[in-house]
Amino acid sequence: MNFAEIFRMSIESVRANTLRSVLTLLIIAVGIMALVGILAALDSVLNSLNESFNDMGSNSFSVLPKSQGISSNKGGRRDKVSDDITFDQALEFKERYNYPAKVAISNTATNGATVQLGEKKTNPNVRVAGIDENYLDVKGYDLTFGRNFSNLEVKSGSNKAVIGQDIVKLLFNNEPEKSLNQDILLGNIRYNIIGILKEKGSSGGQQGADRLVMIPIENAKRTYNSISRNVDVDIAVASALEMDNATDVAIVIFRQIRKLRVGQEDDFEIFKSDSLLDILKENTVKIRWATVAIGLITLLGASIGLMNIMLVSVTERTREIGIRKALGATRSSILTQFLTEAIFICQMGGLVGIFLGVMAGLGVSVALKSTFVMPWAWIILGITVCFVVGLFAGLYPALKAARLDPIESLRYE
């Protein structure tokens, strides 16, 4: 008996017990869906974060006070927090940094501002940022209407503003073209709108990224006294290949500005824009292993159920097995038939689970507005796991069927 004939008989046997086969198939599908779906969703989240960091400028890095950067696990130890970077230090660095790159200085003036236009007023949850003329380019902000600050406007601290899309929706009925050159009240001070930012959305953890007003950093220093806080220094280079050289030059200049002696440890650190994504990828490894464990536990339960069903099938078909052996069927052909049935049910359940898992990953991608990448690695993993589960669950019942005595089987009622 060739394999094609054995496979046909296996399919007919599965179809003869449709309800039982479908229930077992669904249990397997749930396990595979959990396995493929969560892993595909994790890939979608990381892809969304990657796109967000690319928007922020993948060829950029920041200079931060020591230990204010985000770092991976250090065994529970924290570095001592260094002094903030002052406005004068940031400005001196910008003037002295002679590497071919853009340097932006900025800081958050307040997170609780109220913006008013006539009788319309926002809630006191608007972020006000003081920025310079390079900030939008370095941080990857785009303008839909209007223009950026000029160098003269930044140095003079003029009452000009660039606003986010949430402000446009709240005060200008979502009509950004009508907001240009309009005056708004930020606190008690009047600002003229010169630019409208492109919508950022909330992907990549940037919740509220559109509810902000940007003003010249000199204006923020004068109005909010925000320069008493840390000033952010961000640098963007033309190519990722230049990152190492650019950071080396930045370290040398900043050591001089901070007046650090030879041999003295840096009291600042360099944070590259892709470092956070690398840390997140590192931390998601544990989540992936937990997901695999959950999926395997579910599949273990499904394999036990499948083994039970196959044992029942062997008992019910004892007489049929005896007749086939009497007609010349070998032990290997009986063994192959029952293994094929078990593997077929698992693979069908796996295909259903993979489809549902991919749909779950696609749903997460749509929700995050990120590019969906087909998780071929997880699909192959799901198919492989299903094959192993089918082989494991079907082996003992298949061996039991193959070892049945044909004479005793023919007598079975």
Side-chain angles (χ1 to χ4, degrees), residues 30-47:
V30 169
I32 294 297
M33 182 184 69
L35 186 66
V36 175
I38 297 177
L39 292 173
L42 275 175
D43 286 343
S44 297
V45 171
L46 288 174
N47 190 46

Side-chain angles (χ1 to χ4, degrees), residues 41-205:
L42 275 175
D43 286 343
S44 297
V45 171
L46 288 174
N47 190 46
S48 174
L49 289 170
N50 188 51
E51 290 176 358
S52 297
F53 285 123
N54 284 336
D55 290 341
M56 290 167 58
S58 58
N59 298 333
S60 64
F61 62 94
S62 304
V63 183
L64 305 173
K66 195 68 173 274
S67 83
Q68 284 193 15
I70 301 174
S71 59
S72 56
N73 186 14
K74 293 184 178 181
R77 293 181 289 105
R78 290 180 58 88
D79 293 329
K80 182 181 177 182
V81 178
S82 301
D83 293 336
D84 286 340
I85 297 173
T86 66
F87 176 73
D88 290 338
Q89 289 174 345
L91 193 61
E92 183 181 355
F93 176 82
K94 181 179 178 180
E95 293 172 351
R96 292 180 56 183
Y97 191 68
N98 54 7
Y99 198 87
K102 284 188 175 181
V103 178
I105 60 174
S106 63
N107 80 325
T108 298
T110 179
N111 286 307
T114 299
V115 183
Q116 186 173 351
L117 175 70
E119 298 300 320
K120 294 182 179 180
K121 184 186 296 186
T122 68
N123 291 326
N125 60 354
V126 176
R127 182 166 67 93
V128 179
I131 67 171
D132 67 0
E133 71 280 5
N134 293 331
Y135 181 82
L136 298 184
D137 291 334
V138 172
K139 300 297 287 185
Y141 282 93
D142 294 318
L143 293 170
T144 56
F145 292 94
R147 62 177 178 84
N148 189 12
F149 299 118
S150 67
N151 180 263
L152 180 60
E153 288 169 337
V154 171
K155 289 184 176 180
S156 63
S158 62
N159 288 7
K160 304 290 185 180
V162 175
I163 63 175
Q165 287 292 330
D166 281 0
I167 311 301
V168 175
K169 293 174 184 176
L170 291 169
L171 300 183
F172 296 96
N173 299 319
N174 203 20
E175 296 177 322
E177 64 278 4
K178 292 185 179 181
S179 61
L180 283 179
N181 298 318
Q182 296 290 322
D183 289 340
I184 56 174
L185 285 177
L186 193 57
N188 296 319
I189 301 177
R190 191 174 300 276
Y191 287 84
N192 182 255
I193 299 172
I194 63 170
I196 311 298
L197 294 169
K198 183 179 179 181
E199 188 169 9
K200 276 277 188 180
S202 59
S203 63

